[in-house]
Amino acid sequence: MRNILLTIEYDGTNFCGWQRQPDKRSVQGEIEKALSIVCGAPVSINGTSRTDAGVHALGQRANFRGEFGIPTDRIGIAVNNILAGGLNSIGSVGDVQIVKVEEKKEDFHARFDAKGKKYVYKILNSQEKDIFGRNYYYQINKPLDVEAMKDAAKYIIGTHDFKCFQAAGGEEKATTVRTIFDLKIFNQLADNRKQEIELQIKGDGFLYNMVRIITGTLVDVGLGKRTPLSVKAAIDSKDRQKSGHTAPPQGLYLYEVYYDLEELNKF
């Protein structure tokens, strides 16, 4: 029995999300259909993160088990050809593709063996809207105070009960305590009217919509709607009503999944 680990990237714009759903186009469903053709038998994959509709990924991970003849190094090529429409031509690419294929031990599980994840959230802070960026950024037309956002971010790093950053409707968790190892905010000024802001957050796990609520809370700080210290108060309160709004899915990217604690702890 072979156990294959996939590293996957996708543009989440035209998907209902990662998870397979009846009569809806999902990332999991598209990959499973292609793998079933390539392997000559039904394939079910175990994904690490159940990203929502509109969320993108550069480093989603999923594994599957089975007995099939295709060599490991040919799986990605064959699947990507199908995902791109079977065009089999230079330059053709779909909105989901396999970027790496590895063979793992039989007891390996992509989700349960993960030690942590890194997400990136992208913001376009500009007075003018960018039609071509609408699916890939949170576009904010009022000036953001990035230094205030950085001050607020310091209160999020560490081990806390992050219940205030959890949205209703997700899978019930045994605990809402998580460790955020790092939260960095970078900004690049294009001109006096436009800047790109990127949040990079690394943790041992995330609650439902946690990154999007953290982002929305920091945006509220940047807009002057709340103080940096209010973020600490929100965490201490464990009350969702004390934190900020939920940022839209379009700016969120699952960047990397870690299976090595040393890699996870690198800053």
Side-chain angles (χ1 to χ4, degrees):
M1 180 70 69
R2 294 165 65 188
N3 189 6
I4 303 297
L5 174 64
L6 307 173
T7 302
I8 307 158
E9 62 182 16
Y10 49 86
D11 177 339
T13 302
N14 295 316
F15 292 103
C16 69
W18 164 265
Q19 193 169 4
R20 182 195 320 110
Q21 296 184 44
D23 303 320
K24 291 185 178 181
R25 186 172 185 259
S26 68
V27 180
Q28 181 183 19
E30 292 300 298
I31 294 173
E32 287 179 344
K33 284 191 290 186
L35 280 170
S36 297
I37 295 170
V38 169
C39 296
V43 171
S44 178
I45 60 176
N46 304 300
T48 303
S49 182
R50 298 175 181 177
T51 54
D52 289 335
V55 176
H56 314 292
L58 299 170
Q60 172 71 284
R61 298 290 190 98
N63 76 296
F64 67 98
R65 299 178 179 87
E67 296 178 356
F68 37 85
I70 183 170
T72 300
D73 61 355
R74 300 297 298 176
I75 292 173
I77 297 170
V79 169
N80 287 341
N81 182 54
I82 294 170
L83 293 172
L87 301 178
N88 201 24
S89 61
I90 296 174
S92 62
V93 61
D95 51 5
V96 54
Q97 66 175 359
I98 310 301
V99 294
K100 188 176 181 181
V101 182
E102 308 166 66
E103 194 140 359
K104 306 295 286 187
K105 293 180 179 179
E106 190 173 342
D107 62 350
F108 174 86
H109 194 286
R111 180 182 178 189
F112 299 132
D113 286 342
K115 303 294 190 264
K117 304 169 191 172
K118 178 179 179 179
Y119 284 92
V120 168
Y121 197 97
K122 296 184 179 184
I123 297 170
L124 182 62
N125 189 202
S126 172
Q127 294 182 23
E128 299 176 357
K129 296 291 186 180
D130 179 358
I131 188 171
F132 297 107
R134 70 191 186 281
N135 293 321
Y136 309 106
Y137 293 92
Y138 182 9
Q139 299 195 38
I140 300 172
N141 60 9
K142 294 181 179 179
L144 289 172
D145 183 342
V146 177
E147 292 307 312
M149 294 170 67
K150 290 179 179 179
D151 287 342
K154 296 173 185 176
Y155 296 110
I156 298 171
I157 297 172
T159 301
H160 307 285
D161 187 329
F162 285 111
K163 191 173 183 179
C164 75
F165 294 136
Q166 177 180 246
E171 180 184 345
E172 189 69 26
K173 300 294 184 181
T175 176
T176 49
V177 174
R178 298 290 186 274
T179 298
I180 298 301
F181 296 100
D182 200 16
L183 173 50
K184 290 187 172 72
I185 301 176
F186 301 93
N187 64 310
Q188 183 175 355
L189 194 65
D191 54 49
N192 291 330
R193 296 162 58 91
K194 179 179 179 180
Q195 65 175 333
E196 292 188 14
I197 301 169
E198 185 171 290
L199 283 69
Q200 298 184 4
I201 182 167
K202 185 191 292 187
D204 64 354
F206 295 89
L207 305 169
Y208 183 52
N209 279 352
M210 181 172 166
V211 178
R212 289 168 58 188
I213 297 172
I214 286 175
T215 301
T217 303
L218 294 178
V219 165
D220 285 348
V221 171
L223 292 171
K225 294 181 177 180
R226 62 172 63 233
T227 66
L229 193 58
S230 74
V231 175
K232 181 181 184 303
I235 295 171
D236 292 341
S237 75
K238 304 175 188 176
D239 184 353
R240 173 67 185 92
Q241 301 303 314
K242 301 293 184 183
S243 58
H245 69 281
T246 304
Q250 286 78 14
L252 182 59
Y253 299 74
L254 173 57
Y255 189 84
E256 191 166 354
V257 177
Y258 298 93
Y259 295 102
D260 185 302
L261 284 173
E262 288 188 10
E263 288 296 318
L264 178 61
N265 283 288
K266 285 182 180 178
F267 300 121

